[in-house]
Amino acid sequence: MRQDLAGAWDLKDLESGRKVPTALPGDVYSSLIEAGAVLDPYWGTNENDAQWVRERAFEYARDFEVADELLACRRVDLESHELDTCGEVRLNGRLVLKTDNMFLRHRAGVRELLRPGRNHIAIRLLPAAREAAKRARRHPYPVPWTRINAVPHMNFVRKVPCHAGWDWGICLMTSGVYGELALVGSANARLDHVSTSQKHRAGRVEVAVRAELDAARAGATEVAFELAGQRIVKKLRLKQGANAAVAVFSIEKPRLWWPAGYGAQPLYDLTVSTGGETVRKRLGLRRLELISEPDKTGRSLIFRVNGVDIFCKGANWIPLDALPARQTPERYRELLADARRVHMNMIRLWGGGQYEKEVFYDTCDELGLLVWHDFMFSCALYPADREFLDSVRREAEYQVKRLRDHACIALWCGDNELVGALTWYEESRKDRDRYLVAYDRLNRTLAAAVREADPTRTFWPSSPCSGPDDFSDAWHDDRRGDMHYWSVWHERKSFDAYHEVRPRFCSEFGYQSFSSKEVVKTFAEPSQWNPTSPVMEHHQRNPAGNSIILEMFSRYFRMPGDFDGFLYLSQVQQALAIKTAVEHWRRWRPHCMGTLYWQLNDNWPVASWSSLEYGGSWKQLHYHARRFYAPAIITAEATKDGSVEVFAVSDATARTELRAEAQLVDLKGCTLRRWRWRAVLPRAGALKLGTLRAGELQGRPEERFLRLSLEARTGRETTRHSNDFFCVPFKRMELPLAQVRAQAVEKQGRFLVRLTTDRPAFFLTLETPGLKGVFSDNSFTLLPGAKIEIEFEPREKTSLGRFRRALALRHLRQNYEQEVVSG
């Protein structure tokens, strides 16, 4: 029996006494914004005026009546999920829960406190920043906190790290209850956890299902298991405390689960029931291994699923909104579906965020998105006292048991960048042994929890990491493990620097861009539409961010002619940076077997490294990702002697026939020369198709470019890919001012844009200001004579007339001008 306590609550500011009606699940900031007590913190610089909230204590309260069926239960627990963070829960005036870790499930027996008729519950939320500072003062030695946070000492409390701000994130130290809050009744035993393990044999999978129960007293019960059309009932003699029942299923001719691009994602329904309580899960049957072995170069890092080595293509995930109340299932599904649409097969759930809601993992299971799963520790050093580590142990055990049956989860990673943090702070540089021992205690606590709760998966100590017990520089050493490569952004190296490293697996690399004009309008008035205005700089959290973007403009491009041009060009530049890295690293497979760029999404409107901006619109980078993450690609790179090498890459696991062409094209769109190749890849891999010698590339390099095309046939399936290669920076090229014509039509309920041009148009981008939707392609090259048809998929109800009025085009040469062509 379960009684949900979601719904209408009152929220009270315990300092001012002000009370506002609200709802749970929810968060304090969202409630105050809705009540008008806080102005929209995403607008302008309002964030600065909203910081008083983090210093206050708040209380949620409501009256409720208990269902008769619940009062008839001999055992009733109050259960809360995602209670953030330092809380005191009282039922009918009695303290029943004290919390200080938002990543735990909290339970308390409350049967004796419940009464017929009206009951009262109150949840008091105390300032986490105040508790963190108190613990830091009490600690016997200083523990450096990340200066990316705007609030000190957040490493002392188990709360979402980026709530205190990040170098892309707003500082909103919110609190609340973001998950389920319920009364749960039973006759005796409660289901604590359900977990499974798989043994794969030829044509068969054995699935062992384990139900963990907690009994208030000795007794007996039955546990019913159902999977794949089979039902097993286990009779269990209960002892007080922990109990377990196990059922083993044999599934013949199993339908295997695969990552996106490698096969289907069938899911089997699992049901476990006892005493009126039921747990439901969906299982993907698959065999997953992490191959990390010493080799002649260093140490490999390969994810192998069902015996197939997977090249992991994806991005890093941060919480999808700084306001938890806005983290809706619809937004989760849209963002993750958009990752899948551009051929991603892995998401890294980053350690400065949160263990996600079930909808995140369910959707990844459905879409075939593997999850590299960090524990929630990032960019700081952490205490290692017994109390803190005990809380961490319980957190890790709970979260791993909660999530381990999701087919999507590929590994458990101890943290984000804690090994590097040992070198970032004066305290740890002066006394490395002390802080290294503390880190080792934390890391071993997490490793032990994973071994206990999920022995089926690998525990990877940190990200980046060269391997277990290896504390070397994984930012600059590309020979082992996973790498974070930030030399292009933070060290301001040119994009060619991506060609100087060959990571085994690059789990972070990125380049920033500004938001689109549509997003800028949501936080800035027209007087602030300038890259260096106070509001634009407020919505740029990397201290050097805008100057890095603008300085890199001067290396590759001519300066834009207006504010819209700055926004557009920053997105061109971002896409070019990540494209350069991914295409190069993909051609080094199997030496390199993964690229996860930073980052997929934003949690508020901001200049950042994301490819999906706040609200879900696609930046140019996301359209480019659809091409550079395609199953088969053609790419080119210059050599030191001025020649150009052309490569093909394929993810297909079977024999693939390749047909490729390179055209040397001048800036009028005329083809000067062609090269053609035919080749075969026996399996997934990369192949050099040929070398175009410098002497063959007639004409001045600033007056021509290479147009590349590939047709890859695997069995009955054919994929096509096109690409461009430029021998000099765009600023040196006298690009023609192409006249692009667009005709928007409606055909069988779809909106189509037919495009033609009189001269080559580069990075041609279609936009629909005020109308949400996604194009089938964007930010591409359009050549004279080509007739391209682009489909627009609206994400709101619209008409052809409205679509035509909204449609606008911009290309690189036009970006030097003041006007924008309308459709």
Side-chain angles (χ1 to χ4, degrees), residues 29 70 120 138 161 166 204 276 323 365 385 405 436 456 459 495 501 548 598 612 662:
Y29 265 109
L70 199 65
H120 182 77
R138 198 168 60 216
W166 216 262
R204 180 165 57 95
L323 293 168
D365 285 344
D385 56 90
D405 289 321
L436 181 58
T456 68
F459 175 79
F495 297 164
V501 294
I548 293 175
W598 185 270
L612 295 172

Side-chain angles (χ1 to χ4, degrees), residues 246-263:
V246 177
V248 179
F249 295 85
S250 182
I251 301 175
E252 303 292 333
K253 297 181 180 180
R255 294 173 293 124
L256 297 182
W257 184 96
W258 291 91
Y262 289 84

